[in-house]
Amino acid sequence: MTEAILDRLRRLRILPLIVIDDAARADALATALVEGGLPCAEVAFRTRGACDALRRMSAEHPEVLVGAGTILTDGQADEARRAGARFIVSPGLHPRVVDYCQAHDLPVFPGVCTPTEIGAALEKGLRVLKFFPAEPMGGLAFLEAVAAPFGEVEFIPTGGINAANLASYLGSRRVAACGGSWMAPQAWIAAGDFARIRGEVSEAVRRAGLTTAGP
Ligand code: 3PG
C-alpha cells in the first residue's frame, strides 16, 4: 500500500497543499487540479470544513489521490482515514499518529528537520519524511547536508516552495516530491478562482519537467 502511494507521489512530483473551509468548493477544486495536471491533494486539517472537503473530493473524484495534512492526533488520523484519506502528513513526528497509521496500513509522512528527528523516524521504520519548514530551515543545501548520514531516506520538502525554487528541489535524489500551497492558496479557493488555480498548477507541472538531475 505505502509503496503504491509513494510511487504515485514520486511520479506526480508535486503535492498541492489545500486549505479549504467550504466543502461545496471541493468538486471545482478537484476538477482544477486534474485539469492542471496534478490529480492529487493534501487537505490540511486546519479548518472546520477540511474533513468534509476531503470526503467529497475522495468520493466524487476517485481519480484524485487525496490525503490529509496537519494531522496532530491519532483521533484526527482516524477521522481522515474514515473520510477517505489515502495518506497522512503531519508537521512533526507525532508517535501516536505514526502508530495509528502503521496499524491501519496507511502511508504516513511525518515532518522532520533535524538529525535526531530523522533518526527517530527511521526507528519507526519510515523512509520517506516531510521536510518542514524547508526554506526557513535553509532549503535544499540544508536538506542535503542533514540527510547525508542517513542512507536511503527521502523527503517531501514543504514550507516556502514555489514556482521559482521547485525545479531545484526536484533535481535532488533526496526529494520524492515537493509540497506547497502556492498553486492553490486559501484565498483563491475561497474566492472560487479555479481558473487561476488550474493555471498555476499547470505552470508547476511545466516547471517540474524542466528539472535536471542534481546531486
Ligand atoms: C505546510 O504545512 O506544509 C506548510 O504550511 C506549507 O507551506 P507553504 O504554505 O509555504 O507552501
Side-chain angles (χ1 to χ4, degrees):
M1 157 79 108
T2 298
E3 275 310 312
I5 301 277
L6 260 175
D7 281 350
R8 260 186 93 179
L9 286 174
R10 282 197 192 96
R11 271 184 272 118
L12 289 161
R13 313 196 78 196
I14 309 167
L15 179 59
L17 183 130
I18 302 300
V19 179
I20 180 170
D21 196 23
D22 181 1
R25 299 213 181 272
D27 173 36
L29 174 64
T31 302
L33 295 174
V34 170
E35 289 178 356
L38 282 179
C40 58
E42 172 193 333
V43 178
F45 272 40
R46 294 180 201 176
T47 59
R48 288 166 63 93
C51 193
D52 277 346
L54 187 152
R55 185 178 293 107
R56 286 185 68 160
M57 284 176 80
S58 164
E60 294 168 19
H61 291 270
E63 78 280 20
V64 179
L65 178 63
V66 185
T70 322
I71 297 298
L72 305 176
T73 67
D74 50 352
Q76 285 180 317
D78 186 59
E79 203 188 347
R81 184 180 68 89
R82 290 175 194 281
R86 312 272 303 280
F87 60 89
I88 298 292
V89 184
S90 299
L93 184 60
H94 308 283
R96 286 192 190 146
V97 172
V98 173
D99 291 346
Y100 174 92
C101 292
Q102 291 181 329
H104 290 84
D105 197 22
L106 188 60
V108 58
F109 309 115
V112 297
C113 58
T114 68
T116 303
E117 292 160 2
I118 295 170
L122 293 179
E123 277 186 26
K124 287 278 195 188
L126 300 168
R127 292 291 175 273
V128 180
L129 309 171
K130 168 167 161 148
F131 171 51
F132 174 76
E135 282 291 295
M137 282 303 292
L140 185 57
F142 179 92
L143 172 58
E144 292 192 335
V146 82
F150 289 106
E152 292 308 303
V153 66
E154 283 176 277
F155 298 89
I156 302 175
T158 315
I161 313 279
N162 54 42
N165 60 20
L166 173 69
S168 68
Y169 278 95
L170 291 177
S172 168
R173 71 173 183 87
R174 290 293 189 175
V175 173
C178 283
S181 63
W182 83 95
M183 296 156 282
Q186 184 174 9
W188 296 3
I189 297 170
D193 203 347
F194 298 110
R196 195 169 177 192
I197 291 170
R198 187 176 60 234
E200 200 66 38
V201 167
S202 69
E203 174 61 11
V205 170
R206 189 186 72 79
R207 288 184 184 237
L210 301 177
T211 307
T212 52

